[in-house]
Amino acid sequence: MANDRVIMTAILSNLQATRAAVSRAVESAGRQVADVHLLAVSKTFPAEAVREAYRAGQIAFGENYLQEALEKIEALRDLPLEWHFIGPIQSNKTRAIAENFAWVHSVDRLKIAERLSAQRPAHMPPLNVCLQVNVSGEATKSGVAPAEVEQLAREVARLPHLKLRGLMSIPSPAPGEMQQRRPFAQMRELLERLKSQGVAVDTLSMGMSQDFPAAIQEGATIVRIGSAIFGHRT
Ligand SMILES: *Cc1c(COP(=O)(O)O)cnc(C)c1O
């Protein structure tokens, strides 16, 4: 218990420090603070940690593992939270995702998007989606190839119960800000190209605890930050 208390106190100060660091990066990029949103990635941490972050003013939370996420969503029904699914999606999991999340960042094929749209309950607003892109140096094999982004974006944009918002990426770790910026710059160019081709998009989901300043320099509108807020995952 005493140990839990220490962790909960750290969440408040970590969140404040993270927000301050995000603001500094936004200012040094010459951008507006209101244009960059902080998604707190709570995977592996308990519902009580999410509740503590909510007390510190955090509303949007990201989860990677469906079963774990559903348990937290259920335990925290009393709070007005916004849940984002950011992990790999198996097709037999789409219904629960469509029914329980406001956003999905990790759509990388049409079949998954079609299922999410078909399974989104009619009484809910459209599910916000980002396409996960496999830019150079991507750590995982997930993600659509850059050359295929435009076609997938056009197909997803037509689905009735989805709202295409933009692009997401998870570049592999790189040591310095200059190296970190390269894949993020590629993402910015991809988003700009989509816009110039008439696809309505407004979101770049990129940047994690180790590289969010570089992502913000290149135009991130959502940074997904876990360990800097909740501590190291075991
Ligand atoms: C875990 C995870 C994050 C957060 O990573 P940290 O390094 O803990 O900030 C962000 N995005 C995705 C897709 C993740 O899986």
Side-chain angles (χ1 to χ4, degrees):
M1 271 326 269
N3 210 13
D4 283 358
R5 213 48 250 160
V6 172
I7 292 165
M8 296 302 169
T9 310
I11 289 172
L12 171 61
S13 61
N14 289 349
L15 247 180
Q16 288 169 336
T18 300
R19 287 193 193 116
V22 166
S23 295
R24 281 195 302 276
V26 168
E27 276 159 30
S28 98
R31 302 180 55 206
Q32 302 294 317
V33 172
D35 294 340
V36 182
H37 302 276
L38 174 59
L39 180 66
V41 177
S42 45
K43 66 179 178 209
T44 78
F45 291 95
E48 276 316 303
V50 173
R51 192 176 288 279
E52 192 61 24
Y54 171 77
R55 286 195 196 102
Q58 183 66 28
I59 299 286
F61 292 89
E63 289 282 339
N64 290 55
Y65 311 109
L66 183 62
Q67 197 49 46
E68 178 195 341
L70 294 178
E71 286 164 23
K72 274 178 241 184
I73 291 170
E74 189 52 38
L76 298 165
R77 285 257 179 240
D78 57 315
L79 304 181
L81 304 180
E82 181 182 280
W83 292 99
H84 295 229
F85 192 81
I86 62 174
I89 307 172
Q90 296 160 282
S91 55
N92 63 342
K93 303 288 169 63
T94 52
R95 181 176 300 280
I97 294 171
E99 290 176 350
N100 287 281
F101 288 81
W103 284 70
V104 178
H105 293 228
S106 41
V107 170
D108 65 358
R109 54 198 202 275
L110 183 60
K111 179 186 165 204
I112 293 291
E114 287 173 337
R115 290 176 65 95
L116 289 169
S117 181
Q119 293 167 342
R120 181 67 165 177
H123 68 273
M124 294 176 81
L127 181 61
N128 296 292
V129 305
C130 292
L131 306 182
Q132 183 173 347
V133 183
N134 195 334
V135 284
S136 62
E138 180 99 354
T140 71
K141 285 189 275 298
S142 335
V144 59
E148 285 154 27
V149 165
E150 186 193 345
Q151 180 173 355
L152 182 59
R154 289 194 187 286
E155 289 165 335
V156 169
R158 277 190 223 112
L159 296 172
H161 302 292
L162 302 186
K163 184 168 174 54
L164 177 66
R165 297 300 298 267
L167 305 176
M168 176 272 219
S169 75
I170 317 173
S172 34
E177 187 162 327
M178 287 324 287
Q179 289 105 307
Q180 291 170 356
R181 281 177 67 161
R182 215 164 293 139
F184 295 140
Q186 226 186 317
M187 290 290 289
R188 175 172 45 71
E189 287 159 16
L190 279 171
L191 192 85
E192 289 309 323
R193 198 176 315 154
L194 277 184
K195 285 182 182 172
S196 72
Q197 286 156 342
V199 182
V201 282
D202 62 8
T203 299
L204 269 182
S205 166
M206 58 189 199
M208 319 204 304
S209 295
Q210 296 306 319
D211 57 12
F212 68 85
I216 288 170
Q217 289 295 326
E218 296 296 345
T221 64
I222 300 180
V223 289
R224 308 178 311 267
I225 301 186
S227 45
I229 297 170
F230 294 105
H232 284 291
R233 291 179 293 271
T234 47

